[in-house]
Amino acid sequence: MHDQGSQLASRTPAKLLQGVMVVALLSPSALATGATDSISPARAAADDLQRVAIVGGSYFFQPDHVVVKAGRPLELAVRVEAGIIPHRFVLETADGGSLADVPINETTKVLRFELPAGKYLFQCPNRLLFFKSHRERGMAGVLEVKE
């Protein structure tokens, strides 16, 4: 005959695992990865400087679609949420040329550009052995520069 204490002890790890999975699925970063494109226009300052804040996390960038005006200075403030996984912010031209490639963490990094009209991919190319890259898992976005 089994006592209730041993039955509870044998179920506890499974119940804990279920609870952790539910919390992970409902966390803001998990919700953000399933979101559709979030388009964010740049804020323009009095000095004509366009400012955009981009926050990364577990396989997402928020916003993942940014629209700015060509011929005006642009300031990208990039950081990631707290976590242990290292990330990078890479901004590329349409032909794959690199405009920026910086490691990012919880401290905001400010990048300044003045870009011609076009679409620029930003992404995190990091990967762990034998796994998909962060970009392949959804950590990518588009910077759209319009006339």
Side-chain angles (χ1 to χ4, degrees):
M1 191 159 128
H2 299 293
D3 68 5
Q4 285 185 328
S6 65
Q7 287 177 348
L8 180 60
S10 67
R11 288 189 210 154
T12 301
K15 290 291 184 190
L16 285 173
L17 181 58
Q18 280 182 328
V20 168
M21 291 174 64
V22 168
V23 169
L25 291 172
L26 296 177
S27 72
S29 60
L31 292 173
T33 59
T36 58
D37 281 350
S38 56
I39 299 175
S40 176
R43 294 177 324 176
D47 59 0
D48 210 31
L49 177 66
Q50 302 173 94
R51 289 187 171 91
V52 176
I54 299 175
V55 177
S58 294
Y59 314 117
F60 72 90
F61 278 117
Q62 192 67 20
D64 60 4
H65 189 169
V66 176
V67 179
V68 298
K69 292 184 180 179
R72 293 175 55 192
L74 169 63
E75 181 179 278
L76 294 177
V78 185
R79 69 175 183 83
V80 292
E81 295 178 333
I84 59 171
I85 300 171
H87 295 290
R88 290 186 359 240
F89 180 84
V90 174
L91 181 63
E92 299 174 340
T93 60
D95 63 359
S98 179
L99 295 172
D101 186 344
V102 295
I104 52 176
N105 54 39
E106 295 170 49
T107 304
T108 301
K109 296 230 172 143
V110 177
L111 307 168
R112 292 181 184 243
F113 303 96
E114 194 161 322
L115 300 169
K119 290 188 178 184
Y120 301 84
L121 173 71
F122 57 89
Q123 51 126 345
C124 176
N126 290 5
R127 77 177 323 132
L128 191 58
L129 290 176
F130 309 114
F131 291 98
K132 290 182 179 181
S133 71
H134 296 186
R135 175 184 177 182
E136 293 170 312
R137 294 182 73 180
M139 197 169 185
V142 175
L143 170 65
E144 189 173 350
V145 182
K146 292 185 171 187
E147 290 293 334

